[in-house]
Amino acid sequence: MTTPTLAPPQTPLDVERVRADFPILGISARGKPLVYLDNAATSQKPRSVIEATSTYYEAQNGNIHRGVHYLSELATILYDETRATAQRFFNARHAHEIIFTRGTTEGINLVASGFAQSVLKPGDEIVLSTLEHHSNIVPWQLACERSGAQLRVVPVTESGELDIEAYHQLLNDRTRLVAITWVSNALGTINPVRDLVNAAHTRGIPVLLDGAQAAPHITVDVQEVGCDFFVCSSHKMLGPTGVGILYGTEAWLDRLPPYQGGGDMIDTVTFEKTTWARLPSKFEAGTPDIAGVVAFKHAMDYLDRVGLERIAAHEHEVVEYATRQVQEIPGLRVIGTAAQKAGVLSFVMDCAHPHDIGTILDSEGIAIRAGHHCAQPLMRRFGVPSTARASFYLYNTRDEVDVLVSALHKVRSLFA
Ligand code: PMP
């Protein structure tokens, strides 16, 4: 298995060395060298993650927690090693506060369903924000339908930042939960999550943080931030698809009912009554994506070796450079200009629809996202149906930004 040998955190990220660990970055797309700028949708995978997946199926595959034989025991050990790695990576107090899910979406649905069943009452309120991904809106709407609770929404400013004053005003005695994104996938805004959590906790209100766009880019310390729940997806942080994490404090996870029933989540079953297994099994019914979980450890190890601070510094430099370059293009408007931003550049052009921009860029081998980014309320807030979005990660270079910018000039020359 290849291990990147990178310099200590003080030195800038050696992007060429990083790129060499990602086989897909060497392919051509539409006959041009691939320029992959759709990292907010999903990240590419380093060789160590790819190899961990094939090694698992070649030499380690067995079902977890079920057998006394060698492979079952090995698979169980590997599965639990990822849990221990995630505990360290996110600094959870206990390994059993880490629940494996299919991803951010499932983590939010799990909590929303538990709240609907055992916490929410008619007239209760859940506070969200205009920045949310549909994954952090729709499960709460479903929970409201089941319980009679209502959504309250924090507005955003013209620069795409949360209106903090409005947030404070929305918190009241009826608020049962704040569910808010750490980093906006559509605009890149980084929310001041510690302050948001503190304000909610002062009133005894728990907080769920949608960390889908934070975990790949920011050092997440769940105890330091103090959130009650945190969710993220492996596939955005160099790991496989179909795997994610729900962190919840022991107190909350003990309080919520199981999300799904099935094998592994029980203590005893009779036709009259079933009792639940302890955490984390209570929330992990059925056979999960074991290979995916096992390989996810290697993704977190990779991020640790390169260093999230160094990755964030690199992305910051690339996105600042890209923002300066695209602002030179007449008729291009950047949407989302928050002071604290992750590596996301969302924009519209007066001469072309975002889908046309995406198509022209694709013909140049450049992958960006064009659409509403599963954030229709946010698009509505900015008066656009969709945007074009370039999103950067540790392996993107200034040269790739130059390719993007010259392709955008081409869009202008074709449509203007
Ligand atoms: N929340 C945010 C902020 C996201 O960016 C995404 C993915 N685009 C999700 C939730 C949903 O993640 P997943 O599809 O991996 O469950």
Side-chain angles (χ1 to χ4, degrees):
M1 221 166 272
T2 49
T3 313
T5 46
L6 293 157
Q10 296 83 349
T11 58
L13 186 145
D14 184 343
V15 68
E16 287 311 322
R17 213 152 175 178
V18 166
R19 288 179 71 82
D21 291 327
F22 291 78
I24 207 169
L25 298 180
I27 71 161
S28 297
R30 317 279 180 213
K32 305 275 171 59
L34 172 72
V35 173
Y36 187 75
L37 302 177
D38 195 17
N39 294 286
T42 198
S43 67
Q44 298 302 346
K45 320 301 171 200
R47 200 169 278 111
S48 57
V49 169
I50 299 165
E51 287 178 359
T53 313
S54 48
T55 301
Y56 176 79
Y57 283 121
E58 282 171 12
Q60 300 161 336
N61 178 45
N63 208 335
I64 52 169
H65 303 146
R66 286 172 200 216
V68 288
H69 62 79
Y70 168 75
L71 284 175
S72 174
E73 196 178 308
L74 179 59
T76 305
I77 290 169
L78 295 169
Y79 191 80
D80 288 338
E81 271 179 13
T82 303
R83 201 185 307 276
T85 300
Q87 180 197 353
R88 278 195 303 279
F89 195 82
F90 297 112
N91 194 30
R93 184 169 289 120
H94 306 292
H96 59 253
E97 293 176 320
I98 302 289
I99 309 294
F100 290 120
T101 62
R102 282 194 299 121
T104 303
T105 303
E106 189 174 55
I108 297 172
N109 276 281
L110 187 161
V111 178
S113 162
F115 264 66
Q117 194 178 323
S118 67
V119 179
L120 299 173
K121 300 270 177 300
D124 286 349
E125 295 179 0
I126 299 163
V127 171
L128 315 177
S129 87
T130 309
L131 286 172
E132 302 316 310
H133 187 281
H134 296 164
S135 298
N136 200 28
I137 300 173
V138 185
W140 302 112
Q141 287 174 325
L142 294 171
C144 286
E145 270 173 29
R146 283 171 66 188
S147 65
Q150 288 171 15
L151 297 186
R152 305 299 302 274
V153 182
V154 185
V156 297
T157 66
E158 204 46 41
S159 61
E161 289 167 325
L162 281 188
D163 181 339
I164 299 294
E165 208 168 301
Y167 171 71
H168 286 277
Q169 281 165 6
L170 282 173
L171 300 179
N172 64 50
D173 294 345
R174 293 181 301 279
T175 316
R176 290 291 160 267
L177 182 78
V178 171
I180 220 150
T181 194
W182 191 319
V183 177
S184 154
N185 65 308
L187 306 185
T189 309
I190 303 177
N191 284 328
V193 283
R194 186 129 52 97
D195 297 347
L196 302 179
V197 171
N198 286 345
H201 281 184
T202 308
R203 292 173 167 270
I205 301 164
V207 179
L208 176 143
L209 293 178
D210 174 349
Q213 300 292 341
H217 308 284
I218 292 174
T219 303
V220 172
D221 181 331
V222 289
Q223 291 189 69
E224 197 237 352
V225 168
C227 55
D228 301 86
F229 301 100
F230 173 87
V231 286
C232 66
S233 300
S234 145
H235 72 93
K236 295 185 198 281
M237 43 193 300
L238 310 183
T241 51
V243 175
I245 277 178
L246 160 67
Y247 157 81
T249 59
E250 184 181 63
W252 267 110
L253 292 178
D254 274 338
R255 185 173 161 192
L256 291 184
Y259 179 48
Q260 293 181 327
D264 270 351
M265 53 74 73
I266 54 89
D267 182 22
T268 57
V269 179
T270 67
F271 283 111
E272 289 69 40
K273 184 169 173 57
T274 292
T275 54
W276 315 135
R278 291 150 67 105
L279 297 174
S281 303
K282 176 179 148 188
F283 291 108
E284 293 184 1
T287 302
D289 182 349
I290 305 169
V293 169
V294 169
F296 181 31
K297 173 186 187 298
H298 296 263
M300 290 183 279
D301 286 347
Y302 190 96
L303 290 172
D304 261 344
R305 281 197 299 271
V306 181
L308 279 164
E309 276 166 34
R310 197 156 43 164
I311 291 171
H314 172 76
E315 286 167 7
H316 183 71
E317 200 217 302
V318 174
V319 77
E320 289 276 296
Y321 176 67
T323 306
R324 282 198 305 275
Q325 297 296 311
V326 300
Q327 276 169 340
E328 305 283 307
I329 299 169
L332 186 147
R333 172 161 75 107
V334 173
I335 302 207
T337 51
Q340 300 295 320
K341 258 188 78 166
V344 171
L345 180 57
S346 233
F347 58 92
V348 290
M349 292 173 85
D350 59 3
C351 62
H353 189 277
H355 284 117
D356 295 327
I357 301 173
T359 306
I360 303 290
L361 265 51
D362 175 55
S363 70
E364 300 290 321
I366 306 166
I368 61 150
R369 180 54 61 110
H372 52 63
H373 317 296
C374 299
Q376 285 182 358
L378 184 62
M379 296 293 112
R380 213 160 287 131
R381 157 68 182 82
F382 283 94
V384 292
S386 56
T387 71
R389 179 191 71 185
S391 52
F392 304 94
Y393 208 4
L394 71 168
Y395 37 65
N396 291 123
T397 65
R398 276 176 171 242
D399 288 349
E400 289 181 310
V401 172
D402 292 340
V403 175
L404 168 73
V405 171
S406 78
L408 290 174
H409 279 291
K410 184 171 169 190
V411 171
R412 189 165 163 74
S413 68
L414 284 171
F415 287 92

